[in-house]
Amino acid sequence: MHLHHTDPVRAEIIPPAAARSGGRPRPLRVGLGGPVGSGKTATVAALCRRLRDTVSIAVVTNDIYTREDAEALLRQAVLAPERITAVETGACPHTAIRDDISANLEAVEDLQERLDPLDLVLIESGGDNLTATFSKGLVDHQIFVIDTAGGDDIPRKGGPGVTAADLLVINKTDLAPHVGADLDAMRRDAEAARGPLPTVLTSVKDDHGVDPIADWISRRLAEHTAVRS
Amino acid sequence: MSPLSLLILGDGRFPSGGHAHSGGAETAIAAGRVHDAATLRDFCQGRLHTTGLVAAALAAGAATGYDPLSLDEAADARTPSPALRRVARRLGRQLMRAVRVTWPGPELDDLAAARPGGAHQPVVLGVAARMAALTPYDAAQAAAYDSVCGPVTAAIRLLGLDPFQATAVTAGLCGDMEHVASQAAGHAARLPAEGVDALPATSAPLLEITAEQHATWPVRLFAS
């Protein structure tokens, strides 16, 4: 796994503090998007396992037509059931995270109310295409997850998820030799498309595979707390 | 009033959560009752003249400034299915979030505070119309249009229906929608004298029954 680039400080995009009734800042919201099968749910599960002892976490899933992702997380018992909520998206996963974020905001607010204190909400989008991005009205930061088996030309093809996400994760590096994916080309294309934005190549199912992503989120959490205090 | 405000409020792209709801079309399509433009038209017409009329009258009533909490109770009484009551409140809460930003006003704040889990969507729609300086008839038109365009949009996604034909279904129901809106405004005008008994209570039992069934489906594309 490789963590590229120093992380730019992007405090300027964090919206103004929305203090809650008790004066606590609202939790940090991080969106995870990416094509079907790239490993979004596996990443969320691994992040929960890695961070749950030190951070109060909740998850909102956006399944396309089932509660499969929410149920997978429940089955793996990565969080207590009351910390996982599924949102239904009416056959349009990208609408629910970008054009009309109502149902997702409602789910986030319900979790905030129910689970006080809450530090971090992970919002997993339904598997979609390379143009699916989150509204800034819904998340503070977004992670885009692609994988080597989906084709090593995806970083070159670009699209808003690849070029503009705050963190790009190229997952399943362990599969690269089996599917003929050129990791160096993927890394090079991602760097060319993303400028200073960071990219992680990893395999989240490996031991410590999720660490670079968890570390990135921990830094965003630290900034979030600093900005609001 | 500004006709443009009505266009904004009625726009299917208005971000108030409606895109995830089929208005009963998903079950009707699964059962084969809706399978083409003609059957979609029948479905929408039936919905419009029953629950659509009730929704339009509630919206018109709220737009007159009549007590929204009484209207909210009247909406409960006119919605037998618990699943549909939950959906109406959820959509009301989502609409509230959007209209408090687009047309802020104390009446919306008061209703949001009194019903934190959401008031029925048509009631919120009516108060929002009032904040946007629209008339009760405008609010009724928005509700009538909403009751048609939800199922039509869902049918485009679920049946792969030709979008031009589907939009022609909506346009073909303009006369029906205007008629329902004017009936609804008439009901709303009698609220001060007669109270909520002035409101219609037309219902569509099959929509209520299938909404309960839909709520138990493990695999579905729409939330309702």
Side-chain angles (χ1 to χ4, degrees):
Chain A
M1 85 194 64
H2 321 265
L3 182 60
H4 294 282
H5 310 297
T6 47
D7 240 338
V9 177
R10 290 169 60 87
E12 77 277 7
I13 66 157
I14 298 176
R20 292 146 73 194
S21 46
R24 267 182 70 86
R26 67 163 176 77
L28 183 75
R29 301 175 191 162
V30 177
L32 289 102
V36 175
S38 63
K40 294 182 295 301
T41 308
T43 303
V44 167
L47 283 171
C48 290
R49 281 191 210 98
R50 172 72 156 58
L51 295 170
R52 66 189 172 195
D53 294 336
T54 50
V55 176
S56 173
I57 311 176
V59 173
V60 178
T61 64
N62 282 249
D63 283 316
I64 304 175
Y65 49 82
T66 64
R67 293 175 42 86
E68 196 110 338
D69 289 342
E71 274 157 20
L73 294 172
L74 288 170
R75 233 181 2 258
Q76 297 174 52
V78 294
L79 290 177
E82 69 272 15
R83 289 179 176 270
I84 302 170
T85 297
V87 163
E88 288 162 305
T89 59
C92 256
H94 55 272
T95 304
I97 60 166
R98 185 182 56 208
D99 308 82
D100 185 351
I101 57 179
S102 307
N104 270 297
L105 274 181
E106 184 179 73
V108 170
E109 286 169 10
D110 282 346
L111 286 164
Q112 276 174 218
E113 208 156 291
R114 212 162 60 218
L115 305 165
D116 193 23
L118 189 58
D119 305 310
L120 173 66
V121 181
L122 299 174
I123 303 167
E124 181 190 343
S125 80
D128 208 312
N129 58 46
L130 298 176
T131 67
T133 50
F134 285 84
S135 162
K136 289 191 171 67
L138 180 61
V139 301
D140 299 299
H141 304 285
Q142 48 192 309
I143 298 174
F144 201 71
V145 183
I146 61 176
D147 73 298
T148 58
D152 64 3
D153 53 350
I154 289 183
R156 185 171 48 74
K157 285 181 178 165
V162 166
T163 58
D166 300 299
L167 178 69
L168 176 68
V169 175
I170 300 175
N171 190 23
K172 305 186 193 176
T173 47
D174 56 324
L175 294 185
H178 307 291
V179 295
D182 181 342
L183 285 178
D184 287 333
M186 291 186 89
R187 181 186 304 127
R188 214 170 35 241
D189 291 341
E191 284 174 7
R194 292 173 53 72
L197 293 168
T199 300
V200 161
L201 284 88
T202 188
S203 175
V204 300
K205 290 208 165 161
D206 289 355
D207 278 349
H208 302 291
V210 81
D211 287 4
I213 309 168
D215 293 347
W216 185 85
I217 288 182
S218 297
R219 289 197 295 279
R220 301 293 82 74
L221 272 167
E223 285 169 5
H224 183 73
T225 315
V227 165
R228 271 131 217 268
S229 55
Chain B
M1 64 150 280
S2 157
L4 281 173
S5 298
L6 180 56
L7 290 178
I8 294 167
L9 186 61
D11 191 339
R13 283 172 292 190
F14 192 79
S16 54
H19 72 93
H21 296 261
S22 78
E26 186 164 25
T27 44
I29 286 168
R33 284 188 291 275
V34 170
H35 51 83
D36 59 8
T39 47
L40 175 64
R41 183 186 193 284
D42 292 345
F43 177 88
C44 290
Q45 194 172 33
R47 185 168 194 259
L48 172 64
H49 285 276
T50 52
T51 56
L53 173 62
V54 174
L58 287 164
T64 66
Y66 193 83
D67 173 30
L69 298 181
S70 305
L71 293 170
D72 194 47
E73 285 170 14
D76 260 346
R78 285 159 178 74
T79 315
S81 150
L84 284 183
R85 288 201 295 271
R86 281 195 299 274
V87 166
R89 292 193 179 281
R90 171 165 293 176
L91 285 173
R93 183 177 168 195
Q94 296 181 10
L95 176 61
M96 177 64 85
R97 182 179 292 104
V99 296
R100 282 178 88 183
V101 178
T102 43
W103 295 287
E107 292 176 36
L108 287 170
D109 298 341
D110 291 347
L111 180 56
R115 290 283 183 274
H120 276 256
Q121 191 264 3
V123 177
V124 180
L125 183 67
V127 178
R130 188 172 159 79
M131 295 300 102
L134 294 166
T135 66
Y137 176 67
D138 293 333
Q141 280 186 302
Y145 174 66
D146 195 46
S147 89
V148 170
C149 82
V152 168
T153 308
I156 292 171
R157 294 185 196 161
L158 292 169
L159 288 173
L161 203 62
D162 178 337
F164 308 122
Q165 276 191 26
T167 305
V169 167
T170 307
L173 289 170
C174 270
D176 287 67
M177 288 188 265
E178 280 162 11
H179 177 64
V180 162
S182 108
Q183 271 182 290
H187 286 287
R190 297 203 304 276
L191 276 167
E194 300 174 27
V196 294
D197 287 345
L199 298 172
T202 40
S203 69
L206 194 53
L207 284 180
E208 306 278 341
I209 293 164
T210 57
E212 288 299 315
Q213 293 167 344
H214 186 268
T216 68
W217 286 10
V219 174
R220 60 190 185 211
L221 280 170
F222 288 84
S224 79

